[in-house]
């Protein structure tokens, strides 16, 4: 699936281009620093199966090693990628190095020790080289305190490197930047190129290390009462910079690494082992990094391979191990659920075999040719993608391989999701839902439940709450098990690879600000399920898009649509499938491609996400939140509780179930924007319990009006009308929740005093037929263009708005902007907009609305004054003022026009 592109497509953020250009320029400068004939290549950071105790809590709870990679395969990968010297830096042990030495290999002994930083309450890794077996035991004991560890290493001339300096193992959300002042005093060598990290962190590290002047280091030493000499650090000597692949899977080992300068190399190799010369160069700091960084793509491939191997190799960790292990209850619950899913996956033959094929393909091994004819036609496309990956690996594991695999993963994910959708459409469940009334709002509200007995929905065991259609879904679950598991692993690898990079994003932002370099741009991606449809939410979002485009704001919108074209500040993706929702008047539900949107978010350099609808895009928004560790906001347009109340006979208990689901949903967001005070109070009150500082009151802005519009003549609408005929106007979607079924009663009551009263209705919807039957003499205009709408506003008398459902009421502002006063119920939305007896009327029920309409036509002078007041009220809802507050609450920069607005204010 490809995003539509063209001249109007959103420009990607400049942030990623700038950091890529800066880091690549550094690598190019360093590439020719040492004579090739005097250079040794070494990957100073790689792992094999002896990294068997992970630092990540979940891995320890589940008893998983960091890799199953055999030492021989790692050595072959290193040799194939041009390494002159071998080392294996497993976690807290050098077992692989000792084994290779015993087999006669020339190896630089190394390990990556996890050391505790006491006052910061965090763990950091320290790459360590050239120690003996006895020294290894001492280092393991001293790693409980990083100061003791480093002092011992310096005293015994054991060189150390600080790898990935911006990545720690901690649950401390607030990392004091003074930590880096101490690291500058305690380390002489830093890894600035790590093959599993992204360009932002690498460039930040590079610029920080290069900013460490002798004066700074001496100042830091005095401030923290540390002696650099105790750690083998000379403030007068520039810091040494290294690189490593950090490979765990035997895919990228040797592609990134360090070039070591050894003068007279050829001659010295005749007398001295390469490992000894390498150690000598590391001690002297004669090193430069080499390699290619690929954002999260390499880590994504590594984690996909890791997940595939977990699916084949995981063993039951044991319930007691999970319960008694150190960690929060949420961690243990997640590990319990994950282990059950993975163990069930092992029992599913097709899923297990597929993940084995993924691992083989990533190692360059194609599936057996006969396999294509053994599997179902629906899944033969999987073989093509696996062959593409294997062919690419056979040609090497460089940039081409990285790009090929990531594109194949994205394409495979798209095709697998199409299979899932098709299977749902072909299922008995779909047949049931297609029956008249089977998927009505009322039925869904009454029966929406999931059984608490797991076997009821996995195995089909009868249960009171088996499913919303009262039929067992066990058959559907079985059909979806294979494609769903594949899709989950593909999406999970993408999520995990990016989450690992950005799990300390807040710290990275603080670090960049303190450094004054490489600050991540502040830019939001606004997701919506609707934008070009015939509904109020779509109209509101279209107005916001035009405001964003007109002022070049730091927000881009994204919509999933079949035919729309991209525009400036608007991404358009094509849906995997689209369904027409029952009882919606033709409203489409479109299924987006999750990984495609994730890629757009990454490439665009966004750092926050907004969602405007509770459809599929809300799941995408929350996925992006956790994937990129960014703030996520929701813009609340619809009152679903009122909608259910207006359109169904659901009981209070049944409506409460929906309210609890909404409470769970809205609580996942870092901020919720509401359009009226009543909703703000509801969300922060007892029923919803959201934090008041996370609920923001906003508004839609009044539309810009064409002052040259020609008012429609009433006689053009009704043959028996003239300029003095009282004519009401309403424009909305014609559905029950809009209160339109009150109109016949209101008109009948008002006509007792105003027999010539007319009504013009613009819009369409599921209730149009019924309303036409009840109001045969009303003028139904259907959906009309903006010019005709403006002409109606300008030429008719009073806007009638009987909805209790709308959270705001854009049509009220449209009416005001054309000088048309309005009458509405005294409820959320209208209550915040209409000034009682000034720009309109607020009433309690149809009887009072009819009486106010009659009174309105009896006050000619007030009618004229109300037109003036309506225009003034519309001016209060200026786009600049509302957008200023909106950007402030999102934490986004203001454009020039908004800054000018602030200065005037």
């Amino acid at each position: 699936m490809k995003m539509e592109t063209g001249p109007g497509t959103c420009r990607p953020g400049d942030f990623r281009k700038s950091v890529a250009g800066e880091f690549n320029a550094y690598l190019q400068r360093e590439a020719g620093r040492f004579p090739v004939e005097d250079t040794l290549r070494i990957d100073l950071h790689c792992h094999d199966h002896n990294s068997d105790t992970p630092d990540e809590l979940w891995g320890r709870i589940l008893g998983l090693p960091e890799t199953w990679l055999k030492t021989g395969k790692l050595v072959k990968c290193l040799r194939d990628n041009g390494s002159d010297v071998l080392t294996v830096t497993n976690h807290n042990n050098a077992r692989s190095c000792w084994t290779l030495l015993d087999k006669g290999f020339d190896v630089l002994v190394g390990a990556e020790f996890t050391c505790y930083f006491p006052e910061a309450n965090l763990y950091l890794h320290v790459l360590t080289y050239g120690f003996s077996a006895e020294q290894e035991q001492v280092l393991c004991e001293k790693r409980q305190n990083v100061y003791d560890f480093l002092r011992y290493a310096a005293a015994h001339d054991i060189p150390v490197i600080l790898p990935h300096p911006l990545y720690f193992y901690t649950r401390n959300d607030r990392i004091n930047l003074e930590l880096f002042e101490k690291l500058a005093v305690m380390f002489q060598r830093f890894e600035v190129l790590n093959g599993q990290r992204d360009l932002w962190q690498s460039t930040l590290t590079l610029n920080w290390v290069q900013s460490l002047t002798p004066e700074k280091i001496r100042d830091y030493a005095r401030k923290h009462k540390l002696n650099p000499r105790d750690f083998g650090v000379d403030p007068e000597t520039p810091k040494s910079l290294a690189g490593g692949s950090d490979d765990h899977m035997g895919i990228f080992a040797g592609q990134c690494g360090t070039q070591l300068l050894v003068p007279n190399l050829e001659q010295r190799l005749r007398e001295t082992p390469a490992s000894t010369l390498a150690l000598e160069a590391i001690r002297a700091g004669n090193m430069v990094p080499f390699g290619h960084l690929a954002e999260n793509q390499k880590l994504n491939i590594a984690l996909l391979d890791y997940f595939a191997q977990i699916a084949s190799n995981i063993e039951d960790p044991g319930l007691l191990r999970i319960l008694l292990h150190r960690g929060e209850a949420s961690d243990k619950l997640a590990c319990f659920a994950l282990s059950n899913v993975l163990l069930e996956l092992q029992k599913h033959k097709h899923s297990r075999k597929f993940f084995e094929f993924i691992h083989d393909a990533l190692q360059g091994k194609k599936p057996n040719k006969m396999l294509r004819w053994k599997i179902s036609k629906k899944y033969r496309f999987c073989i093509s993608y696996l062959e593409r990956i294997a062919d690419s690996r056979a040609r090497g594991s460089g940039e081409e391989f990285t790009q090929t695999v990531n594109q194949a993963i994205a394409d495979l994910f798209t095709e697998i999701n199409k299979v899932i959708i098709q299977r749902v459409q072909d299922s008995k469940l779909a047949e049931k839902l297609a029956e008249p009334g089977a998927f009505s709002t009322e039925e869904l509200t009454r029966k929406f439940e999931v059984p608490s007995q797991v076997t009821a929905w996995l195995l089909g065991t009868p249960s009171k709450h088996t499913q919303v259609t009262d039929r067992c879904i066990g058959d559907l679950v079985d059909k979806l098990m294979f494609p769903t598991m594949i899709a989950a692993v593909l999406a999970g690898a993408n999520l995990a690879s990016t989450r690992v990079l950005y799990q300390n994003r807040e710290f990275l932002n603080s670090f960049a600000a303190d450094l004054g370099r490489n600050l991540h741009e502040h830019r939001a991606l606004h997701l919506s399920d609707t934008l070009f449809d015939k509904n109020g939410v779509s109209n509101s979002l279209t107005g916001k898009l035009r405001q964003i485009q007109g002022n070049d704001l730091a927000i881009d919108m994204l919509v999933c649509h079949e035919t729309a074209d991209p525009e400036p500040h608007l991404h358009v993706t094509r849906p995997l499938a689209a369904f027409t929702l029952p009882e919606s008047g033709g409203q489409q539900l479109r299924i987006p491609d999750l990984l495609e949107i994730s890629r757009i978010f990454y490439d665009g350099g966004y750092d926050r996400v907004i969602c405007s609808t509770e459809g599929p895009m809300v799941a995408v928004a929350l996925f992006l939140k956790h994937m990129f560790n960014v703030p996520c906001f929701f813009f609340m347009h619809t009152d679903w509780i009122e909608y259910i109340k207006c359109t169904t006979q659901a009981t209070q208990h049944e409506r409460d179930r929906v309210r609890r689901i909404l409470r769970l949903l809205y609580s996942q967001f870092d901020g919720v924007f509401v359009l009226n005070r009543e909703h703000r109070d509801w969300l922060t009150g007892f029923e919803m319990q959201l934090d008041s500082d996370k609920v923001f009151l906003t508004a839609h802005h009044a539309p810009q009006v064409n002052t040259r519009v020609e008012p429609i003549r009433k006689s053009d609408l009704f043959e028996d009308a003239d300029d003095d005929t009282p004519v009401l106007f309403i424009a909305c979607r014609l559905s029950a929740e809009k209160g339109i079924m009150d109109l016949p009663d209101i008109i009948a009551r008002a006509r007792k005093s105003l027999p010539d009263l007319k009504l013009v209705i613009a819009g369409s919807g599921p209730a149009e037929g019924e309303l036409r039957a009840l109001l045969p003499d009303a003028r139904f205009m259907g959906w009309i263009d903006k010019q005709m709408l403006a002409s109606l506003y300008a030429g008719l008398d009073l806007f009638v708005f009987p909805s209790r459902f709308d959270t705001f009421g854009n049509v009220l502002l449209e009416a005001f902007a054309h000088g048309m006063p309005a009458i509405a119920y005294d409820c959320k939305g209208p209550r915040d907009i209409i000034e009682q007896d000034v720009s309109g009327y607020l009433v309690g029920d149809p009887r009072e609305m009819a009486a106010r309409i009659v009174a309105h036509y009896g006050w000619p002078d007030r009618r004229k004054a109300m037109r003036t007041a309506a225009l003034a009220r519309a001016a209060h809802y200026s786009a600049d003022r509302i957008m200023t507050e909106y950007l402030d609450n999102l934490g986004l920069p203001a454009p020039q026009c908004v800054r000018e607005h602030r200065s005037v204010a």
Side-chain angles (χ1 to χ4, degrees):
M1 178 69 67
K2 299 289 190 297
M3 186 189 78
E4 294 296 308
T5 59
T9 309
C10 298
R11 54 175 172 79
D14 295 330
F15 172 73
R16 299 208 175 278
K17 290 182 179 179
S18 67
V19 294
E22 188 174 347
F23 197 82
N24 289 332
Y26 161 75
L27 290 179
Q28 289 174 6
R29 289 194 304 269
E30 296 297 288
R33 183 174 158 192
F34 298 154
V36 175
E37 64 274 14
D38 288 337
T39 300
L40 289 173
R41 287 167 58 100
I42 182 172
D43 185 343
L44 288 170
H45 193 172
C46 54
H47 302 263
D48 68 12
H49 67 100
N50 279 313
S51 278
D52 50 8
T53 303
D55 286 310
E56 289 78 7
L57 177 62
W58 285 20
R60 296 199 304 275
I61 293 176
L62 294 173
L64 296 171
E66 287 203 346
T67 178
W68 287 268
L69 178 65
K70 299 301 182 183
T71 306
K73 287 189 175 182
L74 174 61
V75 169
K76 183 179 184 304
C77 185
L78 289 167
R79 291 298 194 200
D80 289 345
N81 284 318
S83 292
D84 300 313
V85 185
L86 298 177
T87 188
V88 184
T89 53
N90 286 322
H91 289 297
N92 303 317
N93 75 85
R95 291 196 297 269
S96 295
C97 293
W98 305 130
T99 301
L100 288 172
L101 284 170
D102 290 342
K103 292 180 178 180
F105 284 85
D106 179 30
V107 177
L108 172 61
V109 175
E112 185 176 24
F113 290 97
T114 302
C115 299
Y116 183 61
F117 212 119
E119 66 268 35
N121 190 27
L122 58 79
Y123 293 88
L124 53 80
H125 288 171
V126 180
L127 291 169
T128 311
Y129 306 95
F131 49 83
S132 67
E134 294 76 14
Q135 289 171 333
E136 179 185 0
Q137 297 301 315
V138 178
L139 289 168
C140 280
E141 295 171 2
K142 291 189 176 292
R143 70 184 183 87
Q144 302 305 320
N145 185 301
V146 69
Y147 296 102
D148 295 341
F149 182 94
L150 294 177
R151 287 189 175 105
Y152 177 83
H156 293 80
D157 200 17
I158 300 172
V160 296
I161 298 175
L162 180 63
H164 45 70
L166 299 182
Y167 182 77
F168 307 104
Y169 294 90
T170 179
R171 295 208 165 188
N172 180 8
D173 294 331
R174 302 289 180 182
I175 299 174
N176 193 321
L177 292 178
E178 288 189 350
L179 167 68
F180 286 84
E181 297 176 357
K182 298 177 181 178
L183 295 178
V185 178
M186 298 163 65
F187 284 90
Q188 184 67 37
R189 306 167 194 86
F190 295 86
E191 180 188 71
V192 298
L193 191 157
N194 181 294
Q196 302 298 319
R197 304 295 147 188
D198 75 329
L199 280 163
W200 185 29
Q201 295 187 43
S202 300
T203 308
L204 277 173
T205 301
L206 173 65
N207 285 325
W208 169 67
V209 175
Q210 291 185 332
S211 74
L212 297 175
T213 63
E215 292 77 15
K216 278 188 178 181
I217 296 173
R218 286 194 294 269
D219 288 343
Y220 295 156
R222 286 191 295 269
K223 178 179 178 180
H224 299 290
K225 298 180 174 58
L226 295 173
N227 184 353
R229 305 290 178 182
D230 290 347
F231 306 101
V233 173
D234 179 5
E236 303 301 323
T237 302
K239 301 293 187 184
S240 300
L241 307 182
S245 68
D246 201 1
D247 183 67
H248 289 65
M249 301 297 148
I251 298 175
F252 301 108
Q255 286 187 22
C256 299
T258 304
Q259 292 179 344
L260 302 175
L261 175 63
V262 182
N264 302 314
L265 176 62
E266 183 177 359
Q267 179 180 345
R268 296 199 64 192
L269 282 174
R270 296 174 189 153
E271 305 169 353
T272 309
S275 60
T276 302
L277 298 177
L279 182 60
E280 176 186 297
I282 294 171
R283 283 176 173 149
N286 295 329
M287 58 178 72
V288 294
F290 73 86
H292 169 70
L293 287 177
E295 298 290 357
N296 73 326
Q297 291 95 327
K298 287 185 179 179
L299 187 56
N300 182 32
I301 294 171
L303 287 179
L304 176 61
D305 192 19
Y306 184 58
F307 290 169
Q309 292 184 72
I310 289 176
S312 302
N313 294 295
I314 189 172
E315 298 178 356
D316 189 343
L319 182 59
L320 286 180
R321 176 190 175 88
I322 294 175
L323 293 176
L324 299 178
H325 203 286
R326 180 169 58 86
E328 301 291 336
S330 58
D331 293 311
K332 297 176 182 180
L333 181 61
C335 288
F336 173 75
L338 182 61
S339 64
N340 273 266
V341 170
L342 292 172
L343 290 168
E344 285 297 324
L345 181 62
Q346 280 191 335
K347 299 177 184 177
H348 197 277
K349 178 181 177 182
H350 299 306
S351 299
R352 187 180 70 252
K353 291 297 294 182
F354 181 79
F355 290 123
E356 290 175 2
F357 292 145
I358 288 180
H359 172 66
D360 289 343
L362 290 172
Q363 300 297 326
K365 181 180 177 181
K366 287 186 179 182
N368 188 299
K369 290 185 177 181
M370 295 300 296
L371 181 65
R372 184 181 292 275
W373 310 109
K374 291 181 180 180
I375 65 173
S376 168
K377 289 183 179 180
K378 290 182 178 180
Y379 294 109
R380 285 181 185 170
F381 65 87
C382 295
I383 304 301
S384 298
Y385 290 118
L386 293 174
E387 289 176 342
R388 189 197 306 177
I389 292 172
D391 285 339
S392 179
R393 178 62 196 277
R395 294 191 295 270
S397 53
E399 293 181 46
E400 179 190 351
F401 171 74
T402 302
Q403 294 172 359
T404 299
V405 174
N406 278 275
Q407 187 58 56
I409 291 171
D411 294 343
L412 181 59
F413 181 81
T414 298
E415 296 303 319
I416 285 291
N417 275 283
K418 289 180 180 179
V419 171
I420 294 173
I421 292 168
Q422 189 61 52
R423 288 206 163 189
V424 172
Q425 290 176 322
D426 294 342
S427 67
K428 293 180 180 179
L429 176 63
E431 294 176 7
K432 176 65 178 177
L433 295 178
E435 295 175 7
F439 199 55
S440 67
T441 305
E442 185 158 352
E443 284 296 297
L444 182 61
T445 304
R446 291 186 185 281
K447 298 183 178 181
F448 186 83
E449 187 55 273
V450 176
S452 57
Q453 184 183 1
V454 176
T455 55
W457 52 275
L458 278 182
L459 305 178
T461 305
S463 167
K464 175 184 176 182
H465 300 300
T466 301
Q467 57 160 333
V468 298
T469 59
D470 291 331
R471 293 189 183 184
C472 178
I473 63 172
D475 179 60
L476 179 59
V477 169
D478 184 62
K479 288 181 178 179
L480 295 181
M481 179 67 74
F482 174 63
T484 301
M485 283 295 179
I486 295 174
V489 170
L490 296 177
N494 271 269
L495 185 150
S497 64
T498 309
R499 177 72 186 191
V500 165
L501 295 177
Y502 292 114
Q503 65 182 15
N504 59 343
R505 177 185 283 269
E506 184 178 346
F507 160 72
L508 293 176
N509 285 325
S510 299
F511 189 87
D514 186 70
L515 184 63
R517 298 280 299 274
N518 312 121
L519 276 74
H520 200 294
E521 60 186 332
H522 295 314
R523 193 170 187 84
L525 185 64
H526 190 145
L527 308 178
S528 175
D529 291 289
T530 182
L531 189 63
F532 300 103
D533 304 299
K534 295 179 178 179
N535 60 62
V537 174
S538 179
N539 291 338
S540 300
L541 291 174
T542 300
K544 191 173 290 293
L545 174 60
R546 300 302 171 229
Q547 180 71 4
I548 291 168
Q549 292 170 329
N551 294 290
D552 195 23
L553 302 181
I555 303 175
D556 293 332
M557 284 193 170
L558 185 148
V559 67
C560 188
H561 198 273
E562 298 86 348
T563 59
D565 294 321
E567 303 175 15
H569 290 277
L570 175 64
H571 296 284
V572 179
T573 65
R574 300 307 181 206
L576 298 176
F579 309 92
T580 300
L581 295 173
E583 302 181 355
S584 69
Q587 178 64 49
Q588 291 277 297
L589 181 70
R590 302 174 180 91
I591 308 301
D593 189 322
L594 179 65
L595 293 190
E596 180 187 10
I597 297 176
S598 301
R599 189 167 59 253
I600 291 170
F601 191 94
Y602 200 100
D603 292 342
Y606 301 102
D607 72 335
R608 60 207 66 207
V609 60
I610 311 163
C611 185
S612 285
T613 45
E614 290 92 345
M617 282 297 184
V618 80
V620 176
L622 293 174
F623 182 86
L624 294 177
K625 170 187 174 174
H626 293 290
M627 180 175 184
F628 293 94
N629 193 21
V630 295
C632 188
F633 300 88
F634 190 82
F635 201 120
M636 186 175 174
H637 286 276
T638 305
D639 184 344
W640 291 107
I641 303 300
E642 187 67 26
Y643 176 82
I644 292 169
K645 188 175 181 180
C646 292
T647 59
T648 75
Q649 299 298 315
T651 65
Q652 180 65 47
H653 171 74
E654 291 160 345
R655 294 198 301 271
D656 280 344
R657 181 186 301 139
V658 176
R659 174 179 58 80
R660 294 184 185 105
I661 293 171
L662 291 174
R663 180 172 63 196
L664 175 63
L665 174 64
Y666 296 148
S667 67
Q668 305 306 305
F669 290 87
D670 298 279
V672 178
F673 288 90
V674 294
L675 291 163
N676 60 75
R677 289 172 293 174
E678 186 174 315
H679 259 155
R680 179 192 61 190
D681 297 341
W682 178 64
L683 287 175
T684 58
F686 173 76
E687 290 190 333
M688 299 299 281
Q689 300 179 355
L690 299 188
D691 293 339
S692 58
D693 59 349
K694 292 184 178 180
V695 179
F696 307 108
L697 183 62
T698 186
H700 295 309
H701 61 81
Q704 293 184 339
V705 174
N706 181 5
T707 56
R708 299 178 182 178
V709 66
E710 184 70 25
I712 197 166
R713 290 182 298 181
K714 297 176 181 178
S715 58
D716 291 340
L717 298 170
F718 303 95
E719 292 182 358
D720 57 342
D722 56 31
D723 291 346
D724 295 326
T725 302
V727 182
L728 303 176
F729 179 49
I730 181 172
C732 69
R733 182 170 177 271
L734 302 184
S735 54
E737 74 276 7
K738 294 289 187 177
I740 58 172
M741 304 315 295
D742 285 356
L743 287 174
D745 182 33
I746 293 168
I747 298 301
R749 290 177 183 275
R751 279 179 175 167
K752 292 178 182 179
S753 300
L754 294 171
D756 295 333
L757 183 66
K758 308 290 186 183
L759 175 64
V760 176
I761 301 173
S764 61
E768 182 175 353
E770 184 179 358
L771 194 62
R772 282 181 179 271
L774 295 172
L775 292 171
D777 55 350
R779 179 66 185 267
F780 286 82
M781 306 293 293
W783 281 104
I784 56 178
D785 59 31
K786 289 186 177 181
Q787 185 174 352
M788 174 56 76
L789 186 62
S791 182
L792 290 168
Y793 279 127
L796 305 183
D797 305 326
L798 181 66
F799 190 84
V800 57
F801 191 62
S803 172
R804 298 181 187 275
F805 161 73
D806 284 70
T807 57
F808 187 70
N810 270 338
V811 287
L812 295 175
L813 286 186
E814 289 179 359
F816 284 177
H818 291 85
M820 175 183 280
I823 185 168
Y825 289 134
D826 187 9
C827 61
K828 63 181 183 303
R831 183 182 297 148
D832 288 351
I833 299 172
I834 296 175
E835 302 158 298
Q836 180 70 295
D837 293 332
V838 178
S839 54
Y841 309 97
L842 295 169
V843 299
D845 54 35
R847 181 190 299 272
E848 187 179 355
M849 185 171 286
R852 282 284 184 155
I853 290 171
V854 172
H856 176 76
Y857 284 100
W859 298 325
D861 293 339
R862 174 176 288 187
R863 286 162 55 191
K864 184 176 180 180
M866 275 193 163
R867 283 190 170 274
T868 302
L871 290 170
R873 187 59 173 165
H876 174 73
Y877 287 88
S878 71
D880 285 348
R881 180 185 67 82
I882 292 169
M883 191 57 72
T884 298
E885 296 176 357
Y886 184 59
L887 293 172
D888 281 344
N889 290 328
L890 287 172
L892 291 175
Q896 181 63 34
C897 70
V898 174
R899 289 195 293 268
E900 292 173 354
H901 173 84
R902 284 174 175 166
S903 64
V904 171

